[in-house]
């Protein structure tokens, strides 16, 4: 809470009396009455910096921040080497959440009174708040500007080499990027993703009324039996639907089997105990696996960039499509 300056002021006894009355109301928590009395005193003694400083403190407690800031600036103008004006300004700017500006004001206050423990505490607190605010903004920017295509840039070359037709690999790349971005946005909003397999159906061959582009697999990871049954179904579904590619999304937390993050040698897990989800891309010519880890920063869930895993060591499902070595399309 801001406090009024009680020290001796300049002027006549009547003016002092108004200031002292204002101080009494201030101490009692009646900031509106205190501000009114300081205003009366200022009319009689308009060049008294203590009166403006006290009224700034009253306005700050009334959350009339623009008025408070104007009084703090006037205090500084009237008495430029008085620490209190800068301290008032700093407290008001802090309330406005203008932490960098508040810090600058407190640092000037400290120059005029290097022994002030109160100002030193403010500087320490504001330095941390400014740092936290900056990081919170960075986190928000990362959450808002999900750019999976940029993360998968090297995959474009690999796809273009496998699939000779540019339209073909570009469609697959877009399908993968869209699936990943949807999963990341879902994780940011709800801290979860639904376990699903997304299929890139053939526009000419697939029967859209019979085969949906998404299959839920929430029971797939309960046991070796459910995993095997689901895999058999998905492999047949991919073939019958004339799918050109598939993309599996599965949160690590629901996988009882196979726990692909456990093991030694090439299967040794490199991502600590992070929560997150797997994305496995399947096509006749190319298979890829990523883990997107998640952390909590500044009270917000934040997905990290996709980490490529060795699909031979960590596959969530075996191969869904019959392998082809090259493609003419």
């Amino acid at each position: 809470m801001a406090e009024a300056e009680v020290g001796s002021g300049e002027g006549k006894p009547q003016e002092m009396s108004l200031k002292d009355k204002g101080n009494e109301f201030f101490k009692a928590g009646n900031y509106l009455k205190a501000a009114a009395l300081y205003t009366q005193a200022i009319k009689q003694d308009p060049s008294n910096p203590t009166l403006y400083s006290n009224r700034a403190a009253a306005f700050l407690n009334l959350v009339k921040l623009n008025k408070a800031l104007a009084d703090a600036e006037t205090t500084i103008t009237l008495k430029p080497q008085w620490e209190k004006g800068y301290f008032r300004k700093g407290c008001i700017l802090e309330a406005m959440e203008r932490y960098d500006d508040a810090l600058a004001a407190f640092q000037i206050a400290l120059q005029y009174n290097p022994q002030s423990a109160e100002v030193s505490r403010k500087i320490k607190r504001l330095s941390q708040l400014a740092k936290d605010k900056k990081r919170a903004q960075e986190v928000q920017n990362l959450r808002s500007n999900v750019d999976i295509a940029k993360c998968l840039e090297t995959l474009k070359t690999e796809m273009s080499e496998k699939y000779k037709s540019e339209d073909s690999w570009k469609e697959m790349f877009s399908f993968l990027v869209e699936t990943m971005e949807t999963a990341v946005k879902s994780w940011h909003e709800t801290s979860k993703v639904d376990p699903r397999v997304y299929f890139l159906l053939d526009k000419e061959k697939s029967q859209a009324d019979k085969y949906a582009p998404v299959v839920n697999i929430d029971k797939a990871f309960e046991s070796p039996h459910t995993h095997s049954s689901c895999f058999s179904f998905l492999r047949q579904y991919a073939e019958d639907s004339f799918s050109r590619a598939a993309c599996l999304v599965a949160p690590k937390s629901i996988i009882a089997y196979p726990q692909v993050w456990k093991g030694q040698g090439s299967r040794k897990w490199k991502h600590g105990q992070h929560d997150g989800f797997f994305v496995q891309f399947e096509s006749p010519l190319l298979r890829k696996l990523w883990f997107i880890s998640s952390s909590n920063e500044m009270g917000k869930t934040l997905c990290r960039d996709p980490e490529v895993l060795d699909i031979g060591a960590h596959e969530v499902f075996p191969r869904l499509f019959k392998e082809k070595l090259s493609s003419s399309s």
Side-chain angles (χ1 to χ4, degrees), residues 18 34-44 51 55 59 71:
L18 285 169
L37 285 161
Y38 295 141
T39 299
Q40 287 180 48
I42 286 167
K43 284 177 182 174
Q44 294 178 1
L51 296 174
R55 192 171 69 174
F59 281 146
D71 276 355

Side-chain angles (χ1 to χ4, degrees), residues 148-163:
I148 295 295
K150 187 178 178 183
C151 298
L152 303 181
E153 191 66 36
T154 55
L155 186 64
K156 282 185 179 179
T157 308
E158 198 173 346
M159 278 190 163
S160 64
E161 288 171 355
K162 293 276 186 185
Y163 290 89

Side-chain angles (χ1 to χ4, degrees), residues 3-18:
E3 294 181 358
E5 184 73 14
V6 183
S8 61
E10 302 88 14
K12 302 167 189 173
Q14 176 62 25
E15 292 159 354
M16 285 299 298
S17 172
L18 285 169

